Amino acid sequence: MHNQPLCGGDKVLLVAGEYDRIALPEDIRALHKKWSGSEMLLVPQGHFGHRVMPATLARLRERRVF
């Protein structure tokens, strides 16, 4: 959490599971705040689940990444 992304924060989408107890959402949020321009997507799942991929792909389509 001490460095900035080389590609620039505006190209970073951080995706966190709302109930994740391994990669804690508050830790992902702290990274998001540190990486200026990044975006954070919070998905209602734990560390492993199948909701994150459709939500991530939908957000990337909205951002016109592909």
Side-chain angles (χ1 to χ4, degrees), residues 9-54:
D10 60 321
K11 296 184 185 221
V12 175
L13 174 62
L14 299 164
V15 183
E18 187 174 0
Y19 312 112
D20 195 335
R21 293 296 160 235
I22 297 171
L24 301 174
E26 52 268 21
D27 292 341
I28 306 300
R29 191 171 288 109
L31 186 61
H32 162 60
K33 288 180 181 178
K34 181 158 177 69
W35 287 2
S36 181
S38 69
E39 182 180 355
M40 180 175 166
L41 178 63
L42 190 61
V43 180
Q45 71 171 39
H47 186 70
F48 179 81
H50 298 283
R51 293 180 179 173
V52 72
M53 198 51 137

